[in-house]
Amino acid sequence: MESNNRASSLESALWSAADVLRGKMDASEYKNYLLGLIFYRFLSEKVLSTFGKWAGIDQDIEKTYQEYMDPNFQMSGVTIRDSALEYIKNSLGYSIEADALYSSLIEKIRMHKFALDDLAQALHDLENSTIGQRSAQDFAGLFADVDLTSNKLGSSLSQRNQVISDTMLALNNIDLTAHNGDVLGDAYEYLIAQFASDSGKKAGEFYTPRQVSDIIAQIVTYKRDSGDAQIRSIYDPAVGSGSLLLNVGQHVADPSLVSYHGQELNTTTFNLARMNLMLHGVSYEDMHLNNGDTLSKDWPTDEPYLFDAVVMNPPYSAQWNNSDSRLADPRFRDYGVLAPKSKADFAFLLHGFYHLQEKGTMGIVLPHGVLFRGAAEGKIRQKLLEDNRIDAIIGLPANIFHSTGIPTLIMVLKKHKTTDDVLFIDASRDFEKDKNQNRLAEANINKIVDAYKNRQDVDKYAHVASMDEIKSNDYNLNIPRYVDTFEAEPEIDLEQVKNELADIDKEISENLVDFQSLEAQLVKTNIDATATKQGIK
């Protein structure tokens, strides 16, 4: 109950902050301000906690930091400002001056001394503090989408100043002490999901619902979640907000051993992913993200370029350049053909599979067309099956993604399987209604994961298909060919129906006799005679 109240309080504070910007711009735009400011508050809190560790104090940390950052402050005749900043930079990869902390800016707002230039300078100085550090590329351009000069914030400087001030004050109402240490990470995930929901397809493309992420995470970490077998590297070639990477990391025994790798084409979403990973405690040293086109230019090409787990929710049936020159690309050349120009689904799949370790597992979300479309896609699918690469096909319910209402599937692939078959799971009918969308409940998720682990036939739900069975279907993997969900109508007992009809006829006849008997007892009144007696004409 207490955790539910905390979550409700957190969401209320976040939505109050959103109210300041809602109506001024689309959710896909105002998310940049909310998430950027939340992230800056997070970075400020990290500076203070790191300084407290360096100074060996756990009380009055901010006040002490203000004192130590004064260039004139000395201890035993020694100015210690530089030593403190060096420790913070080495620990975090960046530093923030005392007067630029989020809390310091809040104090200026309350004293009516805040100007937008204060925030702009703070963001600029933070990025500059990473110069010469290994973290520089991870912080470069991180706040580019927090456009403080946008007229959508207001037509005048004073209006824009007020809007940003109100937004920062609303975000400052999030009580960090009332939550666990990942409160800002939770806030981020909540807002990302909310923006994806409110903005529809445009925003939904950067976010994979947690329920789907959870299924993929549990599958790719199965028997790889602890000890020497634990997954150490994860790769998402269409990383979006980074939520899928994070979910996989949360399903291993020691997340600190995991390195996170991903590529994202959209620069705004790329910035979102970097913030999201750092907000969830991923060190910049373990974060390897690239802003680029996954299909046009392979990345990464340097070590390590093979990963323990590959996870992906790429854009469905996207356009891509499938010129013949790509047939020499090591990602695609073994298949002899290329995915169609208007349907890049198999191009994304083969890219991810190319980067999978020999003993790794890959989970990718795809539209159902990849299971049965012919021509080049049919050849790629057949090659994957003949090489025994496809491990499982999991059909999901329709309308569970923010970006599309179509039914989707999770395809699981491995380079070294222990069985020569394919597991089919039809989970399309197991869901709960949630407003305008369907939602996978915990019981639905557990049922899918258990079926994957048990790898046995389950009536009207799961089937383990041999390669001979798949060949007999001409390598068509359409789920209804393997999982029969047809519910037969109950057989009709004609003799029983005949008897029931006879009983009904008998009852009707008896009722008719009773009615006629009652009718005969009725007294007919001569209306004309009665009227004459009463003198009515």
Side-chain angles (χ1 to χ4, degrees), residues 11 15 190 194 197-198 399 432-439:
E11 293 173 8
W15 217 232
Y190 168 74
Q194 195 64 51
S197 178
D198 281 8
N399 201 31
E432 291 184 355
K433 280 285 185 183
D434 186 8
K435 295 180 181 179
N436 297 324
Q437 285 201 271
N438 297 328
R439 185 179 66 86

Side-chain angles (χ1 to χ4, degrees), residues 15-24 162-167 170:
W15 217 232
S16 294
D19 279 338
V20 179
L21 297 168
R22 194 178 290 111
K24 297 180 181 296
Q162 189 63 49
V163 168
I164 291 298
S165 296
D166 291 344
T167 304

Side-chain angles (χ1 to χ4, degrees), residues 43 47 50 85-96 126-139 278 283-285:
L43 295 178
V47 165
T50 303
L85 285 176
E86 183 179 2
Y87 178 84
I88 291 169
K89 278 188 182 182
N90 290 338
S91 300
L92 302 178
Y94 69 93
S95 64
I96 299 176
L126 185 150
E127 187 172 332
N128 280 350
S129 75
T130 68
I131 294 175
Q133 303 287 322
R134 286 184 296 171
S135 59
Q137 64 179 7
D138 295 311
F139 283 86
M278 282 190 268
S283 166
Y284 68 88
E285 294 178 325

Side-chain angles (χ1 to χ4, degrees), residues 8-9 22 41 68 156 171 234 263 283 309 322 361-362 372 382 391 408 461 478 481 486 518-519:
S8 177
S9 173
R22 194 178 290 111
R41 183 180 174 189
Y68 279 32
S156 68
L171 291 175
I234 316 167
Q263 182 157 240
S283 166
N322 70 340
T361 302
M362 173 177 169
F372 52 79
Q382 180 174 340
D391 185 48
T408 54
Y461 188 77
N478 202 17
R481 288 177 176 251
F486 177 74
L518 291 171
E519 183 182 34

